[in-house]
Amino acid sequence: MSEAAPSPTANPRRSLGFWMCLALVTGNMIGSGVYLLPASLAPLGWNAVFGWLVTIAGALCLAFIFAALARSFPKAGGPYAYCREAFGPFAAFVVAWSYWISIWVGNVATATGVVAPLSTVFPGIASHSALITAGVVWALTAVNCVGTRTAGQVQLVTAILKFLPLAAVAALSALLIAGDGGGAALPPLEAEAITFGGVTAAATLTLWAFLGLESATIPAEKVQNAGRTIGRATLIGTAVTGAIYLFVCSSVALLLPADQAAGSGAPMADFVERHWGGGAGTAIALFAAVSAFGALNGWILLQGEIPWAMAKDGVLPRWLAGTSRRGTPVRAHILSSVLLTIVLALNHSRSMVDLFTFLILLTTGVSLVPFLVSALAAWRLRRAGRLPPVPALPAIAVLAAVYSLWAILGAGREAIGWGAVLLASGVPVYWLMRRSAAAGKAAEQGSVG
């Protein structure tokens, strides 16, 4: 695919409309994890429901912040662009650098989530899972290289498909609750069983389900009427996803026997099989693969957009800012997927399992940093008069910042420590890029002189 040289005046095709942005937000949040969360939440009982409510409230505060920032600064890179506006290029680079790495390393787990459910239905593919997983990664990389609109169409279709099994589980849960006289099948809600520690534990677990709510802000320069579209997609997508999570995951965790749910590797499939038979459980496994496939497509879109936005600003090599005739950052996509494939290969080498675990731990806390930075950026930009005078904005920014900080601390000391290492790793890269840019400018001036 031929590429055009990067140009500061180039205007990428705005091929993502509201529905595609909504699919990107919901699709990136709803992956394979939703099928596993009930197992983690089952031992917490009704604490999990209150944990969901806390997390949804925090996520909606963050969605409001991203909507406000996107309305005033509809620029590529999302959190990277907001951090640059509020705190300057150095802080923005460090945050974006670590966020980019966390995406393509995290995509290894997402890609594995596509093949793992399929191997339960087609056991023969298990021995070839590494090659199949790599094939899925590069197939979706090709889709994203063809064009943002094509990637958006894939995201829209998979988002619709992934809602079907969740709707079926919601309907089954509603029938069970309504059919027993108003909820007798549910464990009793006892006030003394609701504890601060239990709710906190549940909220920490459920937080991971909302990573990706910022997705529509990152390809902002490819979004139609970006200032309005991104905000609507982010707020509506977060609210809809939160409602689905709250009802579906809580229902499965509470209606499936606690010991069975807690010990299950596929609690949602077990729940459906219990009432509708094994065929329905198989269908759930297939839809879990579709769900992970859609999430991987959306995250591959982001792993190309972040380095492209940084390269346009001159803080990564300029050749990464090159685009195809359709305005797609092909080079950035290919580089990101090459790195993803390397980590994937390490994961499938028996001798490198510990390294893979280390890399995942390294990126855990970092994926939350853009939330904190964006909340602080909104507060600072509002004080500077660079955001509209919305009365509630400063208070919501503070709430979003407090929630984000709490979420980072909840990730644990190891995740925080390694996340700090990953953030620090961007510092020498930034200064090397600055030195390179300064040397190039000096050479250019010398040749002119």
Side-chain angles (χ1 to χ4, degrees), residues 4-12 221 308 311-314 318 321-323:
S7 168
T9 59
N11 185 23
E221 293 185 8
W308 174 71
K312 280 208 317 171
D313 285 344
R318 288 288 293 173
T323 60

Side-chain angles (χ1 to χ4, degrees), residues 165-410:
L166 299 178
V169 172
L172 173 58
S173 301
L175 288 172
L176 291 172
I177 293 171
D180 64 12
L186 295 170
L189 174 57
E190 300 171 345
E192 60 272 17
I194 307 302
T195 65
F196 178 79
V199 172
T200 300
T204 302
L205 287 170
T206 55
L207 165 71
W208 306 110
F210 287 91
L211 297 182
L213 67 88
E214 76 287 359
S215 297
T217 69
I218 292 173
E221 293 185 8
K222 298 180 177 66
V223 176
Q224 300 166 10
N225 191 13
R228 184 167 183 265
T229 300
I230 293 171
R232 290 173 60 217
T234 302
L235 280 165
I236 295 173
T238 302
V240 169
T241 303
I244 291 171
Y245 279 147
L246 175 63
F247 187 74
V248 173
C249 291
S250 297
S251 296
V252 174
L254 293 172
L255 290 170
L256 197 64
D259 55 344
Q260 182 182 355
S264 174
M268 199 169 292
D270 288 348
F271 176 68
V272 173
E273 277 190 24
R274 183 181 177 88
H275 299 281
W276 286 344
T282 299
I284 290 292
L286 293 174
F287 275 111
V290 172
S291 185
F293 184 83
L296 181 62
N297 176 65
W299 283 109
I300 283 178
L301 170 64
L302 302 193
Q303 77 176 19
E305 291 289 330
I306 288 287
W308 174 71
M310 295 168 72
K312 280 208 317 171
D313 285 344
V315 293
L316 282 182
R318 288 288 293 173
W319 64 268
L320 277 174
T323 60
S324 69
R325 293 176 180 175
R326 298 187 180 187
T328 305
V330 175
R331 296 170 184 171
H333 276 306
I334 290 175
L335 173 64
S336 297
S337 287
V338 165
L339 295 170
L340 193 166
T341 304
I342 291 171
V343 180
L344 182 64
L346 296 177
N347 178 42
H348 283 83
S349 171
R350 290 181 183 273
S351 62
M352 302 302 287
V353 172
D354 290 341
L355 176 59
F356 175 72
T357 304
F358 164 78
L359 289 172
I360 291 298
L361 179 63
L362 187 69
T363 61
T364 300
V366 175
S367 59
L368 300 167
V369 172
F371 291 175
L372 175 61
V373 170
S374 296
L376 295 174
W379 183 81
R380 183 166 187 174
L381 292 168
R382 174 65 190 87
R383 281 180 60 87
R386 300 181 63 195
L387 285 178
V390 179
L393 184 58
I396 294 177
V398 171
L399 288 174
V402 170
Y403 174 76
S404 301
L405 183 60
W406 170 82
I408 292 171
L409 295 175

